[in-house]
Amino acid sequence: MTFTLSSRRVRIAAASAVAAAVVGTGLFAAGAATADHSVPRSDKEIPNLSKVEDKIKAYYGDTVDKAGQHYASPDSSYAKQVASIEKKAKAQLETVVKNSAGKKGAKPAIVLDVDDTTLLTYNYELQQGFHFTPDSQDAYLKSTDMAAVFGMPKLVNWAQSKGITVFYVTGRDEHQRDWSVRNLKNAGYKPVADTAHFFLKNKKTPPAYLSCGATCTTVEYKSGTRKHIESQGYRIVANFGDQFSDLQGGYATHTYKLPNPMYFLP
């Protein structure tokens, strides 16, 4: 995941997710933030943004400390939904470990997005009023660590301990590498996010294995990177992301969509 949308687009995407839940599509319950491209015929079809933000806060179990920092609650609906997904993922990975024991061939690996997959952007989003800008993101990442997504360090560290190689693939820019590595380490992730295992977007000098170069869509960039990882002798047994664009394009035997009603990225 990376941030590329305007405040208006982000807020409308969040509102659309709640609207979908209201009309019974089940998207919000499934944790899928989506953008509604239809043209409303009446203002009554458009959710009130303030109410949408209130629902998002309730979903995350908004907690504010004395310094004004926002945190999601470990007892929130969000945390419970994440735990359910992680439980399914671990069961699948346990089968991978069992079936891979003593066998030769491609090495099992997992791929993880960063924002809202391994690290939770909730406090940043609230501080910015869901108004992303590259400058505000840089300032935040440079000075502040994001909290880990509930349960993900435990799952990722367990996977590594069982011989599964861990890769991080994010839409964050290459210049944000050091800040991101620091945050992952401080959040409790033991797999080292070195240059061989941590891929960030590099529009100035894109890697040769991406034929789309600096013009890659999110799907092209992420699937192309997974293809590159597999070309190095790995078999990606699980791919984790909070956006469907993190998961599309193949090169993973299983995909796990983490919930994110705050924004939508194609």
Short mmCIF file of all heavy atoms in Angstrom, two decimals, residues 2 9 11-13 15 33 55 69 73 87 89 92 105 125 127 154 162 176 183 193 214 222 224 239 252 260:
data_model
loop_
_atom_site.label_atom_id
_atom_site.label_comp_id
_atom_site.label_asym_id
_atom_site.label_seq_id
_atom_site.Cartn_x
_atom_site.Cartn_y
_atom_site.Cartn_z
N THR A 2 0.44 2.23 -0.71
CA THR A 2 1.08 3.54 -0.63
C THR A 2 0.02 4.59 -0.70
O THR A 2 -1.11 4.34 -1.10
CB THR A 2 2.11 3.74 -1.75
OG1 THR A 2 2.81 4.96 -1.52
CG2 THR A 2 1.45 3.79 -3.10
N ARG A 9 -10.55 12.10 -2.34
CA ARG A 9 -10.68 10.72 -2.82
C ARG A 9 -10.65 9.75 -1.64
O ARG A 9 -11.42 8.78 -1.60
CB ARG A 9 -9.54 10.41 -3.78
CG ARG A 9 -9.54 8.99 -4.33
CD ARG A 9 -10.53 8.83 -5.47
NE ARG A 9 -10.43 7.49 -6.04
CZ ARG A 9 -9.56 7.16 -6.98
NH1 ARG A 9 -8.72 8.05 -7.45
NH2 ARG A 9 -9.53 5.93 -7.47
N ARG A 11 -11.48 10.30 1.52
CA ARG A 11 -12.67 10.41 2.34
C ARG A 11 -13.88 9.83 1.62
O ARG A 11 -14.72 9.17 2.22
CB ARG A 11 -12.92 11.88 2.71
CG ARG A 11 -11.89 12.42 3.68
CD ARG A 11 -11.87 13.93 3.68
NE ARG A 11 -13.09 14.49 4.25
CZ ARG A 11 -13.26 14.77 5.53
NH1 ARG A 11 -12.28 14.52 6.39
NH2 ARG A 11 -14.37 15.30 5.98
N ILE A 12 -13.98 10.05 0.31
CA ILE A 12 -15.08 9.48 -0.45
C ILE A 12 -14.99 7.97 -0.47
O ILE A 12 -15.99 7.27 -0.37
CB ILE A 12 -15.10 10.05 -1.88
CG1 ILE A 12 -15.55 11.52 -1.84
CG2 ILE A 12 -16.02 9.24 -2.77
CD1 ILE A 12 -15.53 12.21 -3.18
N ALA A 13 -13.77 7.44 -0.57
CA ALA A 13 -13.60 5.99 -0.57
C ALA A 13 -14.07 5.40 0.75
O ALA A 13 -14.76 4.38 0.78
CB ALA A 13 -12.13 5.65 -0.80
N ALA A 15 -16.24 6.73 2.81
CA ALA A 15 -17.69 6.90 2.87
C ALA A 15 -18.38 5.83 2.04
O ALA A 15 -19.41 5.29 2.44
CB ALA A 15 -18.07 8.28 2.37
N ALA A 33 -12.31 -1.84 1.69
CA ALA A 33 -12.57 -0.45 1.35
C ALA A 33 -12.70 -0.36 -0.15
O ALA A 33 -11.91 -0.93 -0.89
CB ALA A 33 -11.44 0.44 1.84
N LYS A 55 -17.87 6.26 12.55
CA LYS A 55 -17.95 4.81 12.43
C LYS A 55 -16.55 4.20 12.35
O LYS A 55 -16.29 3.13 12.92
CB LYS A 55 -18.77 4.42 11.20
CG LYS A 55 -20.27 4.60 11.35
CD LYS A 55 -21.00 4.16 10.09
CE LYS A 55 -22.51 4.28 10.26
NZ LYS A 55 -23.04 3.28 11.21
N GLN A 69 -2.21 11.38 20.87
CA GLN A 69 -1.96 10.35 19.88
C GLN A 69 -3.14 9.36 19.87
O GLN A 69 -3.64 8.96 20.93
CB GLN A 69 -0.67 9.58 20.21
CG GLN A 69 0.57 10.46 20.30
CD GLN A 69 0.95 11.02 18.95
OE1 GLN A 69 1.11 10.29 17.97
NE2 GLN A 69 1.12 12.34 18.89
N SER A 73 -7.80 0.06 19.60
CA SER A 73 -7.91 -0.75 20.80
C SER A 73 -7.73 -2.23 20.48
O SER A 73 -8.27 -2.72 19.47
CB SER A 73 -9.27 -0.54 21.45
OG SER A 73 -9.52 -1.52 22.45
N LYS A 87 -5.43 -16.12 12.16
CA LYS A 87 -5.64 -17.50 12.55
C LYS A 87 -5.71 -18.42 11.33
O LYS A 87 -5.09 -19.50 11.30
CB LYS A 87 -6.92 -17.63 13.38
CG LYS A 87 -7.19 -19.03 13.90
CD LYS A 87 -8.44 -19.06 14.75
CE LYS A 87 -8.72 -20.48 15.27
NZ LYS A 87 -9.95 -20.51 16.12
N ALA A 89 -4.46 -17.72 8.37
CA ALA A 89 -3.15 -17.70 7.71
C ALA A 89 -2.17 -18.63 8.40
O ALA A 89 -1.43 -19.37 7.75
CB ALA A 89 -2.60 -16.28 7.70
N GLN A 92 -2.79 -22.24 7.55
CA GLN A 92 -2.29 -22.56 6.21
C GLN A 92 -0.78 -22.68 6.20
O GLN A 92 -0.20 -23.59 5.59
CB GLN A 92 -2.75 -21.49 5.22
CG GLN A 92 -2.29 -21.74 3.79
CD GLN A 92 -1.26 -20.72 3.32
OE1 GLN A 92 -1.36 -19.54 3.62
NE2 GLN A 92 -0.27 -21.17 2.58
N GLY A 105 13.59 -28.11 -3.25
CA GLY A 105 12.78 -27.34 -4.18
C GLY A 105 12.75 -25.89 -3.80
O GLY A 105 13.59 -25.42 -3.02
N GLU A 125 -3.51 8.94 10.05
CA GLU A 125 -4.75 9.32 9.37
C GLU A 125 -5.57 10.30 10.21
O GLU A 125 -6.09 11.30 9.71
CB GLU A 125 -5.58 8.07 9.07
CG GLU A 125 -4.96 7.11 8.06
CD GLU A 125 -5.00 7.65 6.65
OE1 GLU A 125 -5.68 8.66 6.40
OE2 GLU A 125 -4.34 7.05 5.79
N GLN A 127 -4.50 12.26 12.69
CA GLN A 127 -3.80 13.52 12.84
C GLN A 127 -3.96 14.40 11.61
O GLN A 127 -4.05 15.63 11.71
CB GLN A 127 -2.31 13.27 13.11
CG GLN A 127 -1.98 12.89 14.53
CD GLN A 127 -0.49 12.99 14.83
OE1 GLN A 127 0.30 13.43 14.00
NE2 GLN A 127 -0.11 12.59 16.03
N LYS A 154 3.86 -11.28 15.77
CA LYS A 154 3.88 -12.65 16.28
C LYS A 154 3.77 -13.65 15.13
O LYS A 154 4.52 -14.65 15.09
CB LYS A 154 2.72 -12.86 17.26
CG LYS A 154 2.70 -14.24 17.89
CD LYS A 154 1.57 -14.35 18.92
CE LYS A 154 1.54 -15.74 19.56
NZ LYS A 154 0.43 -15.82 20.56
N LYS A 162 10.12 -20.85 11.53
CA LYS A 162 9.82 -22.15 10.93
C LYS A 162 10.48 -22.30 9.55
O LYS A 162 10.18 -23.25 8.82
CB LYS A 162 8.30 -22.33 10.80
CG LYS A 162 7.58 -22.37 12.13
CD LYS A 162 8.05 -23.53 13.00
CE LYS A 162 7.32 -23.58 14.33
NZ LYS A 162 7.76 -24.71 15.18
N GLN A 176 12.24 6.64 1.75
CA GLN A 176 11.67 6.39 3.07
C GLN A 176 12.17 5.08 3.68
O GLN A 176 11.67 4.65 4.72
CB GLN A 176 10.14 6.37 2.97
CG GLN A 176 9.55 7.69 2.48
CD GLN A 176 8.07 7.61 2.19
OE1 GLN A 176 7.57 6.60 1.69
NE2 GLN A 176 7.34 8.68 2.49
N ASN A 183 11.13 1.60 11.90
CA ASN A 183 9.79 1.38 12.45
C ASN A 183 9.47 -0.11 12.54
O ASN A 183 8.95 -0.58 13.56
CB ASN A 183 8.77 2.11 11.58
CG ASN A 183 7.41 2.28 12.25
OD1 ASN A 183 6.61 3.11 11.86
ND2 ASN A 183 7.12 1.51 13.29
N ALA A 193 14.71 -6.29 7.58
CA ALA A 193 14.23 -5.64 6.35
C ALA A 193 15.42 -5.02 5.62
O ALA A 193 15.53 -3.81 5.48
CB ALA A 193 13.19 -4.58 6.69
N ALA A 214 9.15 3.25 -14.41
CA ALA A 214 8.65 4.25 -13.47
C ALA A 214 7.14 4.47 -13.60
O ALA A 214 6.56 5.23 -12.83
CB ALA A 214 9.37 5.57 -13.67
N LYS A 222 3.73 -4.53 -7.74
CA LYS A 222 3.76 -5.55 -6.70
C LYS A 222 3.82 -6.96 -7.28
O LYS A 222 4.58 -7.81 -6.79
CB LYS A 222 2.57 -5.38 -5.76
CG LYS A 222 2.65 -4.07 -4.98
CD LYS A 222 2.05 -4.17 -3.61
CE LYS A 222 2.46 -2.98 -2.75
NZ LYS A 222 2.00 -3.09 -1.37
N GLY A 224 4.99 -7.75 -10.23
CA GLY A 224 6.30 -7.85 -10.86
C GLY A 224 7.40 -8.11 -9.86
O GLY A 224 8.36 -8.87 -10.12
N ASN A 239 0.58 -14.07 0.58
CA ASN A 239 0.78 -12.65 0.29
C ASN A 239 -0.25 -11.87 1.09
O ASN A 239 -1.45 -12.12 0.99
CB ASN A 239 0.60 -12.42 -1.21
CG ASN A 239 0.77 -10.96 -1.60
OD1 ASN A 239 1.45 -10.20 -0.91
ND2 ASN A 239 0.16 -10.57 -2.70
N ALA A 252 1.57 -15.92 -5.97
CA ALA A 252 1.36 -16.26 -4.56
C ALA A 252 0.28 -17.34 -4.53
O ALA A 252 -0.74 -17.21 -5.21
CB ALA A 252 0.92 -15.06 -3.75
N ASN A 260 -9.31 -2.51 5.95
CA ASN A 260 -8.91 -1.11 5.92
C ASN A 260 -10.06 -0.28 5.33
O ASN A 260 -10.18 -0.15 4.12
CB ASN A 260 -7.65 -0.90 5.08
CG ASN A 260 -7.20 0.56 5.09
OD1 ASN A 260 -7.83 1.41 5.69
ND2 ASN A 260 -6.12 0.85 4.39
#
